[in-house]
Amino acid sequence: MPDIINLLPDAIANQIAAGEVVQRPASVVKELLENSIDADSMTVQLIISDAGKVLIQVIDNGLGMSETDARMCFERHATSKISTSEDLFKIRTMGFRGEALASIAAVSRVELKSKTAEAELGTFLHIEASETKKQEPVSTNQGTSIAVKNLFYNVPARRNFLKSNPVEMRHILDEFHRVALSNPNVAFTLTQNDKEIYQLPAGKLSQRIVSIFGKNYQKQLITCQEETHWLKVQGYIGTPEFCKKTRGEQFFFINNRFIKSSYLNHAVQGAYEGMIQEGQFPFYALFVEMDPIHIDINVHPTKTEVKFDDERSVYGIIKAAVKQALGKHNVTPSLDFGSDVNFKNLAIDNSHFNTPTRSENSYGSFKSLDKQGKSTRWDEMYEQAIDESKPTPAEIRQEELAGLENQMTFQSEANQQQSVELDLEESSAQPMLMHERYVLKQVKKGVMVVDVILAHERILYERYLEQLRKKSGASQRSLFPVSLELNPADYSLVVELQDEIGALGFEFEEFGKNTIAINGIPAEIKNVNEKELFEGFLEQFKFNKSELSLSTQENMARSIAKRSASRTKISNDSIELRTLIDRLFACHQPNYTPSGTPTFIILGLEKIVEFFNQ
Ligand code: ADP
Ligand code: MG
């Protein structure tokens, strides 16, 4: 029998190895960004076209590569980062296996430009499927630019396996967030299809968090810091009120390397016990530093999992650190567990106005909502809510000193409103409807004007959020299915969100190319045709997605509430009007719509008197 064993040609061996490192565009993004960081770059630009399927480019101003290194870097196991096996245990840089660029080059068309500080000219290289097509000197700035085009063009099976653009883009954003968070001293930009998505200036970690996730994070971050002789934890955690309904913005970095660890996550979640409801997830970005000798990061090729030699101690220290941070911050029970990030800045928020008397020391100070002896009568509840949130003059002063001007502008307005005592029960006057939109109701010291549509938006929002959480949306079936053709991007978004949209109460199925058939819409939505509702909902969802950083559930609840509330019609029937008011004040946060617009105003008697005393 003849010999039958051949050595695989390099190109094929590389392609096989690439399978491990390069699973999707986001893996390329991760490797390129990390290489730029390892090369001591101060600015890093990430350019994406078509969710990375067409182009992924990273341009940095780091150390750059010599001509030989530029060629070498695409060889397998070519790395400048370790040279002996002992180094493996002291890894400080992000990359170390020297296989990323080789793998990437095996499954795409790569163009590299790189120049070191000393060199006059840089090097340009064009490689396709591991084969060098062109190499020439090029005039370029110090640093490296690597453009990866047509990923998987030569591996159709892989290319076909890629998910829709929104899904792939989300993975890219995840990687980008991780690298950007762990390197706040490096400036980053991200451009997607020629549109700038992020411009993150170099700064402190807290600034980086805010510039990535939004301004509303500013007041929600608690510093977390703890040091023992062998481990240091530092970073930020979110206030308990700031919890999200979906896991997501939770980041652990060990020696600046992002890791996933359900074990450590459990430690943090445990520290919040009793302060947050089940199914809520706190924000955190925690950086653990320890001697690499205690860590084995080589357990998984994509390097997001780690092993510690003393896992239990790490768990204990992290949990204690988070608990202590929460305790120090003296967070008191929040009035509004259902609230979302956005109106935090606007809403009447008592967490900024803790008095020492109300918050007992440290972590024992949390009680769950129902244990606070809250009244079940909405009117009383409302007054109680106002009382609880009213800051004393001394507290206001304190806030002012702390320079929280924005908060104050709003607070003083809010105080004006709140100084009007409400007493719905006492007044026998019936509510009445004006101009088909405003309900007028006499209250103890004035008149309350409720905006029917905005009130309804708040009511529906809380209801849908609850349904989404419990996956319990009821549906009203249409007589006939209604078909709706979408553009491909919307269609893939709908398919991606199928389960959540279903949980809202929409019933639909795929119905040919980019088309769905709507069989039912959420129960209780009236005066609306299925198609318009669905389209409106989707529009709203996409708008929120691009403008705000919300969890999917949050966004869904807001979008459907806004769209269906806009159709609200109400008759001038006192029972119906009363029901609306009761339902509004049964909400966790009746005062505002989810996006922060007041749902009602109080026209105080003094104001009315003033009008006539001019
Ligand atoms: P690793 O990062 O594991 O060493 P890579 O395949 O990612 O392996 O990179 C190979 C080598 O190419 C690196 O060790 C480094 O010397 C060089 N390199 C890659 N990207 C850059 C860059 N942006 N700037 C400077 N050198 C780089
Ligand atoms: Mg690398």
Side-chain angles (χ1 to χ4, degrees), residues 134-362:
K134 196 172 184 183
Q135 175 173 358
E136 60 188 23
V138 65
S139 135
T140 180
N141 295 332
Q142 183 194 331
T144 304
S145 155
I146 298 185
V148 176
K149 299 181 175 171
N150 312 106
L151 184 65
F152 297 137
Y153 80 99
N154 56 342
V155 203
R158 286 232 151 217
R159 195 168 173 91
N160 296 337
F161 190 70
L162 291 179
K163 296 272 170 40
S164 66
N165 284 4
V167 174
E168 293 302 341
M169 196 58 210
R170 211 183 49 222
H171 286 287
I172 289 178
L173 285 173
D174 283 347
E175 295 297 352
F176 180 78
H177 289 161
R178 292 165 188 171
V179 177
L181 274 178
S182 51
N183 298 283
N185 54 337
V186 177
F188 289 88
T189 59
L190 166 55
T191 315
Q192 182 200 0
N193 295 339
D194 297 326
K195 204 175 133 207
E196 189 171 271
I197 312 246
Y198 282 112
Q199 198 199 1
L200 309 175
K204 291 190 296 195
L205 174 61
S206 54
Q207 293 163 333
R208 179 56 51 92
I209 293 174
V210 170
S211 49
I212 295 180
F213 298 113
K215 274 222 175 62
N216 39 42
Y217 277 64
Q218 225 152 16
K219 300 211 174 78
Q220 312 298 339
L221 299 176
I222 304 174
T223 314
C224 180
Q225 197 149 20
E226 177 73 81
E227 196 167 349
T228 71
H229 64 283
W230 64 288
L231 184 155
K232 190 169 151 190
V233 195
Q234 56 187 348
Y236 290 92
I237 58 172
T239 59
E241 297 84 353
F242 191 54
C243 282
K244 292 282 178 71
K245 277 53 170 207
T246 50
R247 207 180 282 278
E249 284 148 14
Q250 302 189 321
F251 303 88
F252 262 118
F253 300 88
I254 308 280
N255 293 346
N256 232 32
R257 182 188 298 277
F258 172 81
I259 59 138
K260 283 186 190 141
S261 164
S262 45
Y263 187 66
L264 295 188
N265 178 62
H266 192 264
V268 178
Q269 196 85 24
Y272 278 84
E273 204 177 282
M275 305 179 195
I276 57 176
Q277 290 174 337
E278 213 179 302
Q280 292 196 316
F281 303 96
F283 167 86
Y284 61 81
L286 292 174
F287 292 76
V288 177
E289 287 212 24
M290 60 200 291
D291 188 334
I293 204 97
H294 300 296
I295 318 167
D296 178 6
I297 42 181
N298 205 0
V299 290
H300 194 269
T302 54
K303 299 172 285 192
T304 55
E305 276 154 42
V306 290
K307 273 209 167 91
F308 303 101
D309 55 8
D310 184 1
E311 217 172 25
R312 289 182 59 162
S313 302
V314 179
Y315 183 101
I317 295 170
I318 288 179
K319 186 166 176 178
V322 174
K323 267 197 163 188
Q324 197 187 344
L326 286 167
K328 265 199 196 137
H329 195 73
N330 250 343
V331 202
T332 49
S334 153
L335 181 71
D336 173 26
F337 276 100
S339 79
D340 64 63
V341 186
N342 256 47
F343 74 63
K344 226 34 217 187
N345 294 335
L346 279 166
I348 299 162
D349 168 10
N350 63 340
S351 68
H352 291 287
F353 299 106
N354 316 327
T355 54
T357 46
R358 212 186 304 141
S359 50
E360 299 111 47
N361 253 334
S362 95

Side-chain angles (χ1 to χ4, degrees), residues 464 467-474 497-506 553:
Y464 287 118
Q467 285 184 4
L468 280 167
R469 230 178 284 156
K470 293 188 179 152
K471 302 205 182 319
S472 65
L497 298 172
Q498 204 160 11
D499 291 348
E500 283 99 339
I501 300 178
L504 271 182
F506 277 110
Q553 280 191 349

Side-chain angles (χ1 to χ4, degrees), residues 31-32 35-36 38-39 60 63-65 69 73 78-81 95-102 114 144 146 303:
E31 297 297 338
L32 296 185
N35 280 347
S36 295
D38 285 347
D60 67 44
L63 298 171
M65 287 179 259
D69 283 353
C73 74
T79 177
S80 53
K81 299 169 194 171
F96 56 89
R97 297 158 160 260
E99 50 188 16
L101 289 183
S114 191
T144 304
I146 298 185
K303 299 172 285 192

